[in-house]
């Protein structure tokens, strides 16, 4: 049977882009379906009735939701170019950092950029603590995955790309080469990787999106 | 020690219970160290410097943190006995999805049902019943979430059974009246020694949670 792979996503969503990057790194062909999150399609609601969110991967008619769950599925289904460590202990460490990122870092960085004046200092401190922890984990490695881009790099890509655009728009200096040299260098390396840079949202379009949100919050 | 395993734990933690259940399912020996979270041990701070939380499993001197990550690790290293995840990738994805669902929702909301009062408690109660109904819909008439085999979703959720009495008493409602199939599933899990030996008595848990509630309210 010819394989059918579809991805329901949203162009600006880092969660959606994680999946696209993983599929592209593994050379998997797929049909991409752009969702309007203000007007979700009946198909999205059918395939992810519990959370009603993107991304959703549809493989031969079977839906998988939640980005980390999808990343695990992709690794187990398409064995070329592994992005997860093979060793169970190393894999547990990678899962830990992915969870730490999703539970704490991404949200802290996002909130710090959008925080109102009175909460700004505390939010920035919290976000900086997260980045400091990531910096400590990265140390002198090129990527979180070692010499090659791995799962944690793909999960943390929000910091490498989205945050850098966002902090410029809102005027926050969260991730700078002075404060976090290793993390900053990592972000440049990561978004410079051939397959990755082709699968990030257009910078200009993201700036427009963030600016619009900034205007409407005033 | 035969399996070189140490578990840093807290008797009342549903997350710690998950790991104990998984270790018991695999028939593994381990040293259990009870932590005092108001006075965390140097070992805990060394083994989990990022989150400083229990449970932490230390295997041959190397720490693994986060309960469901630990459970998956145990399942992968001791694959040959009582698998907690199916072998088919799609079935595994479904298991991970539902384990993640439990992780996202139950603890935070359940805590408000036994820990809060007034409108916050009422809203939390409604939400908890809603999540329980979704889970009940997923397990249905199956013996376990994964079908015939006890698995990671069961491991993720069953520790919260030890909260049922507290949640019902504080929230003034009956879980069996709202979700009878979920209670049947829970009782089925409790028939497994790995579960019954890892969960504290519901009344003991209720007394402990009441004490915590008083402490929170005093602060």
């Amino acid at each position: 049977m010819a394989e059918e792979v579809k991805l329901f996503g949203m162009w600006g969503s880092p969660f959606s882009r994680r999946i696209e990057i993983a599929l592209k790194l593994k050379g998997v062909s797929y049909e991409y379906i752009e969702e309007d999150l203000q007007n979700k399609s009946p198909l999205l609601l059918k395939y992810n009735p519990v959370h009603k969110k993107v991304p959703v991967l549809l493989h031969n008619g079977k839906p998988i939701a939640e980005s980390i769950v999808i990343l695990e599925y992709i690794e187990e289904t398409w064995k070329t170019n592994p992005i997860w460590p093979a060793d169970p202990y190393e894999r547990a460490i990678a899962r830990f950092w992915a969870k730490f990122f999703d539970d704490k870092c991404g949200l802290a960085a996002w909130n710090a950029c959008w925080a109102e004046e009175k909460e700004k200092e505390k939010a920035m401190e919290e976000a900086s603590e997260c980045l400091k922890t990531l910096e400590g984990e990265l140390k002198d490695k090129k990527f979180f995955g070692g010499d090659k881009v791995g799962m944690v790099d793909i999960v943390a890509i929000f910091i490498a790309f989205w945050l850098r655009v966002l902090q410029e728009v809102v005027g926050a200096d969260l991730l700078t080469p002075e404060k976090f040299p290793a993390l900053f260098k990592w972000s440049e390396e990561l978004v410079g990787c051939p397959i990755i840079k082709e699968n990030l949202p257009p910078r200009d379009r993201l700036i427009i999106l963030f600016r619009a949100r900034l205007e409407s919050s005033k | 020690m035969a399996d070189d395993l140490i578990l840093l734990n807290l008797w009342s933690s549903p997350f710690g219970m998950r790991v104990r259940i998984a270790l018991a399912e695999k028939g593994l020996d381990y040293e259990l160290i009870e932590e005092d979270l108001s006075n965390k041990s140097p070992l805990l701070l060394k083994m989990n410097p990022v989150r400083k939380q229990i449970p932490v499993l230390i295997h041959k001197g190397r720490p693994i943190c986060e309960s469901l990550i630990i459970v998956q690790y145990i399942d992968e290293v001791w694959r040959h006995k009582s698998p907690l995840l199916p072998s088919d990738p799609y079935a595994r994805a479904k298991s991970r999805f539902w384990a993640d669902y439990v992780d996202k929702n139950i603890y935070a909301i359940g805590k408000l049902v036994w820990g809060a009062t007034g409108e916050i408690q009422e809203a939390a109660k409604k939400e908890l019943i809603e999540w329980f109904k979704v889970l009940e819909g997923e397990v249905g008439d199956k013996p376990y979430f994964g079908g015939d085999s006890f698995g990671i979703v069961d491991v993720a959720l069953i520790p919260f059974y030890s909260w049922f009495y507290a949640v019902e008493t504080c929230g003034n409602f009956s879980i069996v009246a709202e979700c009878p199939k979920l209670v049947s599933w829970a009782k089925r899990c409790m028939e497994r020694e790995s579960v019954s030996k890892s969960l504290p008595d519901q009344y003991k848990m209720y007394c402990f949670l009441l004490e915590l509630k008083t402490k929170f309210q005093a602060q």
Side-chain angles (χ1 to χ4, degrees):
Chain A
M1 179 173 82
E3 196 164 56
E4 191 194 57
V5 184
K6 291 186 186 183
L7 176 66
F8 293 81
M10 186 263 173
W11 69 270
S13 157
F15 302 98
S16 177
R17 292 283 176 170
R18 285 174 184 180
I19 309 307
E20 291 201 80
I21 288 168
L23 289 169
K24 288 261 161 71
L25 283 172
K26 286 178 172 279
V28 178
S29 306
Y30 62 98
E31 181 193 336
Y32 177 78
I33 297 148
E34 176 72 17
E35 278 289 326
D36 173 1
L37 299 182
Q38 309 306 321
N39 185 21
K40 293 171 183 177
S41 73
L43 273 184
L44 177 65
L45 300 176
K46 173 185 167 186
Y47 290 132
N48 191 3
V50 175
H51 297 305
K52 305 175 176 53
K53 287 182 181 172
V54 293
V56 176
L57 186 75
L58 198 68
H59 185 207
N60 294 330
K62 296 197 267 195
I64 305 112
E66 289 302 302
S67 64
I68 307 277
V69 175
I70 300 172
L71 288 173
E72 297 247 22
Y73 178 81
I74 287 172
E75 183 76 353
E76 289 174 3
T77 306
W78 294 283
K79 311 274 190 196
T80 8
N81 196 17
I83 50 180
W84 289 76
D87 172 68
Y89 184 75
E90 296 303 322
R91 200 154 52 234
I93 299 299
R95 284 183 178 131
F96 173 86
W97 287 104
K99 185 173 203 303
F100 175 71
F101 185 84
D102 269 356
D103 285 353
K104 300 227 84 177
C105 299
L107 201 58
W110 178 260
N111 287 341
C113 290
W114 294 113
E116 286 180 11
E117 269 318 306
K118 53 184 171 143
E119 287 148 358
K120 196 94 176 174
E121 200 184 321
K122 185 170 176 226
M124 286 287 286
E125 226 175 84
E126 210 180 297
S128 290
E129 273 308 306
C130 283
L131 294 188
K132 191 171 156 199
T133 306
L134 290 177
E135 174 98 356
E137 174 55 19
L138 191 59
K139 284 183 270 248
D140 44 16
K141 290 188 297 217
K142 189 175 178 191
F143 299 113
F144 286 98
D147 293 323
K148 252 178 45 165
V149 168
M151 206 270 290
V152 179
D153 303 285
I154 295 172
V155 166
I157 202 165
F158 171 82
I159 299 284
F161 185 74
W162 279 259
L163 176 63
R164 288 185 59 179
V165 176
L166 177 58
Q167 65 182 17
E168 231 180 84
V169 169
V170 302
D173 60 348
L174 203 44
L175 175 61
T176 67
E178 295 78 29
K179 286 183 189 173
F180 305 107
L183 207 58
F184 190 86
K185 187 166 173 227
W186 161 82
S187 71
E188 306 258 275
E189 290 275 8
L190 189 62
V191 306
C193 288
I195 288 178
I196 291 180
K197 77 174 170 215
E198 288 144 22
N199 288 286
L200 291 171
R203 202 166 187 278
D204 301 340
R205 211 174 156 194
L206 207 59
I207 289 175
I208 294 170
L209 188 72
F210 289 153
R211 278 211 183 119
R213 190 189 157 121
L214 187 64
E215 283 311 308
S216 69
S217 70
K218 285 185 179 155
Chain B
M1 175 126 295
D3 299 303
D4 291 317
L5 288 165
I6 300 173
L7 176 63
L8 305 182
N9 192 47
L10 182 64
W11 72 269
S12 57
S13 161
F15 306 103
M17 288 172 219
R18 288 171 173 175
V19 179
R20 292 183 59 200
I21 293 168
L23 290 166
E25 283 286 319
K26 303 285 183 178
L28 296 168
D29 286 325
Y30 60 98
E31 185 189 344
L32 183 67
I33 297 177
E34 189 72 13
E35 281 284 332
D36 172 2
L37 296 186
S38 61
N39 185 20
K40 293 173 184 178
S41 72
L43 183 62
L44 174 58
L45 298 175
K46 177 183 169 193
M47 291 292 159
N48 191 358
V50 176
R51 304 304 300 265
K52 305 178 176 58
Q53 286 168 347
I54 57 93
V56 179
L57 184 71
I58 307 170
H59 183 209
K60 296 188 170 149
R62 300 194 298 184
I64 305 105
C65 309
E66 295 296 327
S67 62
L68 291 181
I69 293 174
I70 300 171
V71 170
Q72 286 189 84
Y73 174 80
I74 291 168
D75 197 49
E76 286 169 15
V77 174
W78 290 277
R79 258 200 320 268
H80 48 277
K81 186 173 180 194
S82 306
L84 296 171
L85 275 154
S87 45
D88 168 66
Y90 186 69
R92 289 164 78 82
K94 275 186 73 176
S95 292
R96 287 186 173 120
F97 176 87
W98 286 105
D100 174 72
Y101 180 89
V102 171
D103 238 14
K104 277 185 163 73
N105 297 315
I106 305 301
Y107 180 79
I109 289 296
K111 206 170 158 184
L112 290 176
V113 179
W114 57 254
T117 50
E119 268 174 40
I120 297 177
Q121 186 190 45
E122 265 313 297
K125 182 173 121 187
K126 288 197 170 79
E127 218 179 310
L128 185 66
I129 293 171
E130 207 185 293
W131 302 138
F132 276 167
K133 286 193 159 135
V134 171
L135 287 164
E136 186 183 49
E138 180 56 24
V139 74
D141 294 311
K142 296 188 299 235
Y144 302 110
F145 277 88
D148 291 326
S149 303
F150 182 76
I152 196 170
V153 185
D154 309 286
V155 174
L157 184 59
I158 194 62
F160 294 103
Y161 182 66
S162 65
W163 279 12
F164 276 23
Y165 182 78
V167 149
E168 285 174 316
T169 308
C170 296
N172 192 28
F173 71 108
S174 158
I175 297 178
V176 72
E178 300 281 352
C179 307
K181 286 186 179 171
L182 196 66
V183 174
S184 301
W185 160 82
K187 291 191 167 155
R188 195 174 303 115
C189 289
M190 287 296 286
E191 286 167 12
R192 299 179 83 84
E193 208 178 308
S194 63
V195 177
S196 60
K197 291 216 158 129
S198 304
L199 262 58
D201 168 70
Q202 284 195 26
Y203 188 72
K204 180 182 178 188
M205 182 61 96
Y206 167 66
C207 296
F208 170 74
L209 294 177
L210 267 196
E211 247 182 72
L212 270 190
K213 179 173 180 165
T214 317
K215 265 193 214 150
F216 291 152
Q217 286 174 347
Q219 281 164 4

